[in-house]
Amino acid sequence: MSILRPFSKSKTRRGFGNDSAEPAEGLAAAGGGVFTRRALLMMGVQAGVLGLLADRLYDLQLLKGAPLKEQARRNRTSRRLLAPPRGLIQDRFGVTLAGNRINWRALLMPEETTDVDAVIAHFATIVPLDEHDQARIARDRKHLRRYVPLTLKEFLSWEDMSRLGLNAPSLPGVLVDVGTTREYPFNGLMAHIVGYVAPPNEKDVQKNATLALPGMRVGRAGLEQTQEALLHGQPGSVEMEVNAVGRVIGELDRLDGAPGAKLGLTIDSVLQKQVCDRLGERVASAVVMDCRNGEIMAMVSTPSFDPTLFDSGVSHTQWKTWNEDPRTPLVDKAVSGLYPPGSTFKPAVALAALSSGAITASDRFSCPGHYDLGGVRFHCWNKYGHGSLNLHGGLKFSCDVYFYQVARRCGMEAIEKASHMLGMGVKLPVELPHVRSGVIPTPEWRRAHGHHWNAGDTVNAGIGQGFVQVTPLALACYASSIASGRATRPHLLRSLEDRLLPGASTDPAANLGADPAMSGEGGDNNGLLFSEAHLSAVRGGMYAVVNEAHGTAPKARLSIPGVQMAGKTGSAQVRRVSRALRESGHFNSMSLPWEYRPHALFICYAPYDNPRYAVSVIVEHGNAGATEAAPLARQIMTDTLMRDPANRAPLTKGVVARAALSPEDIPGFR
């Protein structure tokens, strides 16, 4: 018989529990594994993302931090170079001959706008652009890079700047900038010496990229050209804050460029004005030089021109007018004009003959009024002749026949050598462009030009005619060399940044060895070009020209008590006069048209017993040196001696004293 056991809850539960314990533990284990894998996966993803972020941050902040910082800075700033002010050019007393003035201008930054044409067109409706401006803008756009500012308009008025300020939001990339422009207070008075500046061309920019900056100018003539490296300075920079569209908000930083060097000249602006007034409306040139050191006190070429016109561009009409003017205002006649020296050349021929031993000062030659050579008659200016003359008389009366014979006796080789020693026919070391050497002809020179040299060429050269050509500056050096007995080195630069340059000394010994071509007769002559006896003989003849009775230049005699001047007249023919016309007795050169009249010349130095200044004057087609050039030279020499610029301002410690002067402070300046 079966025994029924009572139902036990606990056992049943334990049994149930015991039966199901293994599956429950499996589920728990499975659930924990899923969670762990998901957590690890999530942690892995997060770690990867964080790693990528860290790598990116490392890349951005450490590896690329500096470049990105600079890029961000550029996004909010705009940096550009600034044209430096050109160096000042002043006279020997500190008067500014070439300076700078403020120039407000409108610039366009092409890289800060998307439509340059539209901006320029809109700008033109606010500030009108003339044909010259439009042509310049079109030219600049072809040659300038987008990062180089484009000059839209210069010399803005206050009204122009006000209108641009009101319309600034509609002119992206346009800004108003302040710079400098070249200013010449004396206008044409100093134009040939100082020169002028003009905008750089494409070749200039290729040589020096900074010349593309707005406001940069390049010297095109005179000292502005030859001293360009000293005058143009070093560019500066400005950093501006801009908004998202490139509109300038403000200026963050500015580094001004280094201005060009300040040049001090030997020129005295007061004397320059006086010389110019003396020449007046004549087509002429005059040079005043210190005999002791070659400093050029004044150098005038008339007519002249206004150099300020070149800064903004010369119109075609003005350029054509200048070039078609027979008086050649653009040419610096003092250094580029070539003229037959005429009778002013006779002292050089005398020194050549004396130093070569061909003649002595006492040798006499007869003048019947003409000299016949190989069937050709060479006339003296005095058709009645001068009779028998020695060197003193030959110079005093300026006898052509005397010097015909002297030239034949010494020959062209000796004349060429003496001329070079005196500064003629050689390249003079003055600091100007286009300085011409002139011509002292020789048989070799003539043959090199495909022609034969004959005795008549030597005869003509003996009176400064034929192929002989010189400049007014060379004539001044020539007169100065006779006065001092030493080679003259002409120069215009006296100081750099207020410090004196070599050559400012008035000690004659300091100027020796100026040029290899201008050397003396020997090494035992105390630096003299010629012997003292020969120099004295020629000087005595030049003294007689001015101061003795019947000399050819009584109108050159000084009225300063106790001061005498030595000089030499010259009248240089520009066309041949036939023998029949000369002998007819009816020839008068003043009856010829102006362009056919002889040039009038005069050279001189003073005081005679202690030479300080030398002067040369050439009046184109002035007819006669005795009546036209000699009185002018007397006036110029009087002005020079009375002012005495070489000794007017004593120097201390080798530094040129500064003077706050302007053209208006100079007496007589208009």
Side-chain angles (χ1 to χ4, degrees):
M1 160 173 139
S2 64
I3 299 174
L4 296 176
R5 296 179 178 176
F7 179 74
S8 172
K9 295 181 179 179
S10 60
K11 189 174 182 179
T12 303
R13 291 175 181 167
R14 284 196 303 267
F16 181 80
N18 290 337
D19 294 340
S20 60
E22 184 176 350
E25 291 176 357
L27 288 174
V34 171
F35 174 79
T36 300
R37 287 193 299 273
R38 289 178 179 176
L40 291 175
L41 180 61
M42 292 288 293
M43 291 174 61
V45 171
Q46 290 175 352
V49 171
L50 291 175
L52 291 174
L53 290 175
D55 180 70
R56 183 58 174 166
L57 289 174
Y58 176 81
D59 180 61
L60 293 176
Q61 293 185 6
L62 297 180
L63 299 181
K64 300 179 180 178
L68 291 175
K69 183 178 180 180
E70 177 63 20
Q71 182 177 349
R73 187 192 64 79
R74 287 199 302 265
N75 288 336
R76 63 176 285 269
T77 63
S78 174
R79 179 178 289 273
R80 61 185 178 84
L81 295 177
L82 298 174
R86 283 183 75 83
L88 301 179
I89 301 178
Q90 298 179 334
D91 82 343
R92 65 187 300 115
F93 299 115
V95 179
T96 298
L97 309 179
N100 304 304
R101 63 184 175 91
I102 295 298
N103 173 23
W104 293 94
R105 59 199 175 204
L107 305 179
L108 173 62
M109 310 295 288
E111 63 181 358
E112 295 179 5
T113 180
T114 57
D115 194 340
V116 174
D117 292 323
V119 172
I120 295 176
H122 185 48
F123 177 90
T125 63
I126 301 170
V127 177
L129 299 174
D130 57 26
E131 294 182 1
H132 176 76
D133 291 325
Q134 294 175 358
R136 175 183 50 76
I137 292 172
R139 182 181 65 251
D140 290 347
R141 289 189 62 188
K142 292 180 180 179
H143 303 301
L144 297 182
R145 308 276 183 161
R146 282 186 60 83
Y147 56 81
V148 177
L150 180 67
T151 302
L152 299 180
K153 187 75 174 180
E154 293 193 285
F155 310 108
L156 295 175
S157 65
W158 289 111
E159 291 77 10
D160 293 334
M161 290 187 285
S162 298
R163 289 195 298 270
L164 291 175
L166 291 173
N167 292 273
S170 61
L171 294 170
V174 174
L175 58 94
V176 174
D177 181 66
V178 60
T180 60
T181 188
R182 208 56 163 164
E183 183 177 41
Y184 302 102
F186 291 89
N187 296 326
L189 182 63
M190 301 287 180
H192 292 111
I193 297 174
V194 173
Y196 57 85
V197 296
N201 55 35
E202 187 175 359
K203 291 183 179 179
D204 297 323
V205 175
Q206 289 176 352
K207 295 178 182 178
N208 185 356
T210 61
L211 293 178
L213 298 176
M216 288 295 283
R217 295 292 185 266
V218 178
R220 296 297 188 203
L223 291 167
E224 292 276 27
Q225 177 179 341
T226 61
Q227 307 304 311
E228 172 68 24
L230 291 174
L231 290 169
H232 73 240
Q234 298 298 322
S237 63
V238 61
E239 186 176 20
M240 298 169 294
E241 185 177 10
V242 297
N243 59 19
V245 296
R247 170 58 47 196
V248 175
I249 299 174
E251 184 176 305
L252 298 176
D253 186 31
R254 175 180 289 263
L255 178 62
D256 293 327
K262 181 169 65 175
L263 303 181
L265 307 188
T266 62
I267 293 292
D268 176 7
S269 55
V270 174
L271 183 60
Q272 180 88 354
K273 177 65 170 56
Q274 291 174 327
V275 173
C276 187
D277 288 343
R278 296 298 187 186
L279 297 182
E281 298 299 321
R282 299 175 180 85
V283 182
S285 178
V287 180
V288 181
M289 182 179 294
D290 190 334
C291 296
R292 298 167 297 181
N293 57 12
E295 287 189 342
I296 300 172
M297 302 294 169
M299 187 164 63
V300 176
S301 175
T302 60
S304 188
F305 61 94
D306 185 357
T308 59
L309 299 178
F310 287 90
D311 193 11
S312 56
V314 176
S315 67
H316 176 73
T317 302
Q318 180 63 75
W319 183 256
K320 183 178 180 182
T321 300
W322 280 335
N323 281 278
E324 293 179 352
D325 191 336
R327 303 176 303 162
T328 59
L330 294 177
V331 176
D332 184 358
K333 299 175 181 63
V335 299
S336 299
L338 293 180
Y339 306 89
S343 294
T344 62
F345 194 61
K346 291 173 180 176
V349 176
L351 285 170
L354 290 170
S355 61
S356 65
I359 66 167
T360 66
S362 60
D363 288 348
R364 305 186 74 87
F365 295 91
S366 179
C367 171
H370 60 269
Y371 177 70
D372 293 327
L373 177 66
V376 179
R377 173 161 291 184
F378 296 86
H379 292 269
C380 184
W381 68 267
N382 183 350
K383 66 179 182 179
Y384 302 107
H386 293 99
S388 178
L389 297 172
N390 59 12
L391 177 61
H392 187 86
L395 288 171
K396 175 181 176 179
F397 299 114
S398 193
C399 177
D400 293 335
V401 172
Y402 177 90
F403 283 96
Y404 291 151
Q405 298 175 79
V406 169
R408 281 213 69 196
R409 184 172 290 190
C410 72
M412 275 310 301
E413 288 76 9
I415 294 175
E416 179 199 32
K417 179 181 177 182
S419 299
H420 288 178
M421 291 161 61
L422 293 165
M424 295 179 290
V426 294
K427 186 67 174 291
L428 296 172
V430 69
E431 306 91 340
L432 288 176
H434 315 303
V435 178
R436 303 179 74 178
S437 302
V439 177
I440 305 297
T442 61
E444 291 75 16
W445 175 87
R446 186 72 169 140
R447 286 192 291 268
H449 287 77
H451 300 281
H452 176 70
W453 183 270
N454 55 58
D457 295 327
T458 303
V459 167
N460 264 332
I463 62 168
Q465 293 283 175
F467 303 111
V468 182
Q469 290 186 318
V470 298
T471 65
L473 178 62
L475 287 179
C477 290
Y478 163 41
S480 177
S481 296
I482 292 177
S484 66
R486 294 171 170 83
T488 299
R489 182 184 180 89
H491 58 280
L492 285 165
L493 292 183
R494 189 166 191 260
S495 65
L496 177 63
E497 294 292 350
D498 292 328
R499 305 296 299 185
L500 287 179
L501 297 171
S505 172
T506 55
D507 179 7
N511 204 33
L512 297 179
D515 194 296
M518 301 164 63
S519 56
E521 292 176 333
D524 57 349
N525 212 18
N526 295 322
L528 295 178
L529 294 171
F530 304 94
S531 72
E532 187 59 49
H534 296 160
L535 288 167
S536 295
V538 172
R539 291 169 184 158
M542 295 176 67
Y543 174 88
V545 168
V546 177
N547 300 286
E548 292 185 2
H550 309 298
T552 57
K555 293 184 178 181
R557 196 170 301 159
L558 296 177
S559 58
I560 304 175
V563 180
Q564 289 81 37
M565 180 170 73
K568 186 68 191 76
T569 56
S571 299
Q573 295 177 4
V574 297
R575 61 176 301 185
R576 185 177 180 274
V577 180
S578 68
R579 174 176 176 177
L581 185 58
R582 283 187 178 277
E583 295 180 348
S584 68
H586 301 294
F587 175 69
N588 181 6
S589 57
M590 281 299 293
S591 63
L592 297 173
W594 176 80
E595 62 271 20
Y596 295 146
R597 297 174 188 171
H599 299 314
L601 305 93
F602 194 79
I603 61 172
C604 58
Y605 65 87
Y608 174 72
D609 55 353
N610 183 25
R612 188 176 304 163
Y613 299 106
V615 172
S616 69
V617 177
I618 295 182
V619 180
E620 289 190 11
H621 311 294
N623 195 57
T627 58
E628 184 71 8
L632 286 173
R634 175 183 61 81
Q635 295 169 346
I636 293 171
M637 183 63 80
T638 300
D639 293 336
T640 304
L641 291 173
M642 296 299 291
R643 179 162 174 80
D644 197 12
N647 301 315
R648 191 175 182 86
L651 301 174
T652 57
K653 299 181 181 180
V655 181
V656 177
R658 303 189 183 194
L661 297 178
S662 66
E664 290 72 19
D665 298 319
I666 297 175
F669 180 78
R670 299 188 299 272

